[in-house]
Structure formats: structure tokens, C-alpha cells
Amino acid sequence: MMNFLMSSFSNRELAAGYWLLSCAFLLLLRKDIRQSCGDIIKTICSPVLLQIFLLLIFNVWLICWALNQFGWWQADQRKSTIFWYFLTGVVLLCRGIKSKEDDNFFKKTIFDNFKVIIIFEFIVVAYSFSLLTEIIIFPFIVFISILYRISESKKELKPVKNIFGGLLSIYTIAVAWHSISTIYKEPTMFWNTTTARDFMLPVFLSIGCLPCFYLVFLWKHIEQFNIIMKQKDYHTDDIRRYAKRRFCLAFCLRPWLLYRAARQFDFLQPKNRKDIKSIVQEIKTYERLKNNPPKVKIEDGWSPYLAVKFLSDFGFKTDDYHSYNNPEWEATSNPINANDHHMLFNQITYYIEGTEDFATKLKLRLHIRYKNSSAESLKTLNKIS
């Protein structure tokens, strides 16, 4: 068994496995943790999640089969493929499900695989230290990494963050130097087709699984849309069924627009199919014009497509400019905090109001819930104004 482990895994992987299994064993000695683990396993084994994970497995198998036809995947890469599935594939799948309209998750996934940094990362992990050294180092690196992530969340911990960041940089340089020196001494062990296949495998898998990620992304949005539409029982069944069908056909490839359609369906109370088609057309028009907005004369007001971006530097992110009470249109931002260092925040919200073609009123509203910091909040409001 030891010979199998030593030949199949690197010393760094064995050290990680040793500590993870040790921690898992100690945690499972507690009854409440064992019960929680049982609940997690039941959730993972739910039919919906199993279908999603099996879909990803099938996608990975299909990519490996295709690569094998061209000699770019061999049986010795099973371990790397399994590791990629659990450590990268499932993570990307969850990120894809949670991604939003402006996250550009799918574009980022493609471009991230062609960054120069992945070459450095691959070289860094190419060779590990001795098994004893890796076992000793592993818990310290994990501990420092956790503290570094915690210190990132608070401005007052920036000096601490710099210390832990420096320690991680020293470790990275040491590992990189070890890998590069080993490659220099034995270049033929690194510069070969096996290394090339190992390097390209995560790239092929990440990009090849994008259709799977996108299918799950679509499914999630459509399911949520159907739940929202079921709650609108004050419409006739015929109108609601037609609206669901029409919205899904119009926005199935841009599923984030389904929420806008459901909101407008609620706001405008369509009485017939013509009204529903108008909602679809309104959303499509906004999407078409937002990247190339028409010019607006200063005496008429502001271009609503530009007004939604006026205060983006202050953290205001507005929804789309939409009709809510004909002929009135509006867009509302997320509230931002106007004071610091308090559990109860005062908040500022940005509003845009007007007609379909022009924004005629820009409005900031400060909601004071913590009176002791009202002076600080008013100062923030004046700055933004």
C-alpha cells in the first residue's frame, strides 16, 4: 500500500491527505459533528444535486475520451482528472450557479486559463520537498493562509495582513526555487510530453466543461423564475402560462433577464398577450440601447442609460431603467453605508426617475437609523451630491 501511495501521489499530496484524514478522524469523534456530516451527505445525495454532479462527471468523461483519441489523455492521468473534478470542477460549477449578470463568469473562466500565472503555478507544484518536510510545513501554511484571509476582511488588520502575506510570499519563492532548480538539474524529467499533457489537462477540462456549467446556470434561473411566476396567482391561468412560455423563449439564453420580466409582469399587470409582448420588447430595447445610448439634449434631462452609471464610483449599482406606472419610469440603486465603525448603518440610496426617453430627476435619499453618526453620514451625502 505504501509503495502504491508513494508512486501515485506527490509528497505534498500525501502530507495534505495525512493532515486532512487526521483532522477528520478527530472531528468525527464528536457525536454532533457526525450527525451534521450525515445531514450533509443526505443533502449531497438529493436527486437534484446528484443529477448535476453526474452531468459534470459525464462531461469530464466525454472530454477525456475525446482527448484520448488524440493522445492527450492517458490512464496515468486518472488521478489528476479526479483531483480536478473535486477540487476545481465542483467549485467552478458552484460559482457558475451563483454567478450574476455582470460577473462575466464564463468569459473569466476562459481567460483565466490562458494567463501567464498558471505557468508559474504549474512549475511551483511540479516538485515537492521530502515527505517529512511537507508534513511539518503543511499545517503552518494552512494556518497562515487562514489568518491572511481573515485579515483581508478588516481595514484595521492591514499590518497583520502584510506580515502574513510576506510569509506566504517567502514560502512561494522557496517552493518555486526548489522546483526550478530541480528542473534545471534534470531537464528531461520535466520537458517531455507527459508534462505537457499534465499542464494542458486542467485547461481542457475547465473550458470543455463550460457548456455543462452554462446548462446548470440556465436551469437554476429558469427554476427560480418558475417559482416566482407561481406566486402570481392573481393573474388568470391563461395569461400566466403564456407569459412563462413567452419570457422563457425570449430570454432563455440570457436568463438573468427573466427576473426583469417577472418584475414587469407584477408591476404592469398585463391584461392580454399584447401587453406581455410589450414587456418583452421593452426589455430587449433596453439591452440593445444600453451599450450605445441615444443622445439627449440637456434641456430634456439625462440619458437614463448613462444616469445609471453616474455614481458607480461611489458603489451605487442600479437596476435597469424600467416602467413602473405608465408613463413613469425609474431605476433604483442598492443602498450603500454612509458611516463606519457601527453595527447599525445609515444608508444612502440613489434614484433615477423620468419618462421612457429621458431621466428628469436624480435623487439621493439618506436613511438615518443611527443618530449619533448622522453628522458623518451627512458629510458622506454632501460629498456624493
Side-chain angles (χ1 to χ4, degrees):
M1 177 60 71
M2 194 63 188
N3 290 334
F4 169 75
L5 292 174
M6 295 297 291
S7 62
S8 301
F9 300 94
S10 68
N11 290 338
R12 192 165 296 136
E13 292 166 348
L14 290 173
Y18 167 78
W19 283 108
L20 290 173
L21 289 174
S22 300
C23 293
F25 175 77
L26 292 174
L27 290 172
L28 290 175
L29 293 177
R30 294 184 53 175
K31 184 178 179 181
D32 56 337
I33 293 179
R34 289 199 302 272
Q35 292 175 342
S36 300
C37 289
D39 294 336
I40 292 172
I41 292 172
K42 288 179 182 178
T43 302
I44 293 174
C45 293
S46 64
V48 174
L49 287 180
L50 278 180
Q51 290 176 28
I52 293 174
F53 293 141
L54 288 174
L55 177 64
L56 182 58
I57 289 174
F58 175 74
N59 197 158
V60 170
W61 174 85
L62 198 62
I63 294 168
C64 293
W65 176 84
L67 292 174
N68 181 255
Q69 306 306 304
F70 297 95
W72 276 94
W73 190 92
Q74 302 295 336
D76 60 353
Q77 291 179 291
R78 290 171 184 164
K79 180 200 74 174
S80 300
T81 305
I82 293 172
F83 275 12
W84 181 91
Y85 177 85
F86 287 103
L87 300 180
T88 303
V90 173
V91 173
L92 288 176
L93 182 67
C94 295
R95 287 181 183 174
I97 292 174
K98 295 190 294 183
S99 62
K100 298 179 181 178
E101 174 184 355
D102 53 356
D103 286 348
N104 293 321
F105 165 77
F106 299 98
K107 288 183 181 178
K108 287 180 180 177
T109 302
I110 295 174
F111 291 129
D112 285 350
N113 280 280
F114 292 99
K115 288 182 177 178
V116 176
I117 190 67
I118 67 167
I119 300 174
F120 175 76
E121 290 173 349
F122 182 77
I123 292 174
V124 165
V125 301
Y127 296 95
S128 54
F129 299 113
S130 66
L131 181 58
L132 181 60
T133 303
E134 291 289 350
I135 289 176
I136 294 172
I137 291 175
F138 184 82
F140 290 103
I141 297 302
V142 171
F143 182 68
I144 291 172
S145 300
I146 292 171
L147 293 178
Y148 177 80
R149 295 296 295 178
I150 293 172
S151 63
E152 276 187 319
S153 61
K154 296 183 179 179
K155 294 179 181 179
E156 58 268 25
L157 295 178
K158 187 176 180 180
V160 180
K161 173 191 168 185
N162 293 336
I163 294 173
F164 291 132
L167 292 173
L168 290 174
S169 298
I170 292 171
Y171 170 74
T172 303
I173 292 170
V175 174
W177 177 256
H178 174 70
S179 295
I180 293 170
S181 60
T182 305
I183 293 170
Y184 179 77
K185 292 175 184 177
E186 300 177 349
T188 56
M189 295 293 291
F190 183 80
W191 301 106
N192 51 54
T193 55
T194 301
T195 304
R197 285 191 287 108
D198 290 341
F199 174 74
M200 291 303 298
L201 181 62
V203 177
F204 288 138
L205 290 174
S206 297
I207 296 176
C209 285
L210 281 177
C212 174
F213 300 153
Y214 197 72
L215 280 175
V216 177
F217 172 75
L218 291 178
W219 167 82
K220 187 261 296 194
H221 281 282
I222 292 174
E223 281 294 301
Q224 290 182 342
F225 169 74
N226 286 332
I227 292 171
I228 293 172
M229 292 298 287
K230 282 181 181 178
Q231 297 170 353
K232 304 187 184 303
D233 53 4
Y234 41 83
H235 295 281
T236 64
D237 291 341
D238 179 62
I239 287 294
R240 191 166 64 252
R241 280 195 300 268
Y242 178 77
K244 287 173 62 176
R245 186 169 64 251
R246 190 73 178 81
F247 294 157
C248 285
L249 286 174
F251 306 124
C252 61
L253 297 181
R254 294 179 292 175
W256 54 88
L257 299 181
L258 289 171
Y259 301 114
R260 298 187 196 176
R263 180 201 61 206
Q264 294 304 90
F265 185 71
D266 192 23
F267 278 177
L268 303 180
Q269 298 291 308
K271 300 295 188 298
N272 50 54
R273 297 189 175 193
K274 183 179 178 181
D275 294 339
I276 292 171
K277 291 177 181 178
S278 297
I279 293 174
V280 172
Q281 189 58 45
E282 176 189 312
I283 295 172
K284 286 184 174 181
T285 300
Y286 181 87
E287 287 298 295
R288 187 180 73 253
L289 293 178
K290 73 176 184 179
N291 294 322
N292 187 23
K295 293 183 179 180
V296 174
K297 295 179 181 179
I298 193 168
E299 58 267 25
D300 292 328
W302 299 272
S303 167
Y305 305 98
L306 299 178
V308 297
K309 304 175 184 178
F310 283 167
L311 298 179
S312 57
D313 290 343
F314 290 94
F316 289 104
K317 181 181 177 183
T318 68
D319 55 12
D320 60 303
Y321 190 67
H322 57 272
S323 58
Y324 73 98
N325 184 17
N326 192 40
E328 297 171 317
W329 286 55
E330 70 167 8
T332 307
S333 79
N334 59 303
I336 68 166
N337 296 330
N339 59 304
D340 295 321
H341 311 301
H342 295 293
M343 294 298 293
L344 190 59
F345 290 102
N346 299 330
Q347 294 183 319
I348 302 175
T349 308
Y350 173 45
Y351 298 88
I352 302 166
E353 299 174 357
T355 62
E356 180 177 0
D357 299 315
F358 315 117
T360 56
K361 181 186 294 184
L362 309 181
K363 184 168 61 178
L364 289 170
R365 186 181 70 181
L366 170 61
H367 182 195
I368 295 180
R369 296 181 293 179
Y370 192 84
K371 293 184 179 180
N372 290 346
S373 63
S374 58
E376 179 187 353
S377 301
L378 286 168
K379 185 177 179 181
T380 303
L381 178 67
N382 289 333
K383 180 181 178 182
I384 297 172
S385 299

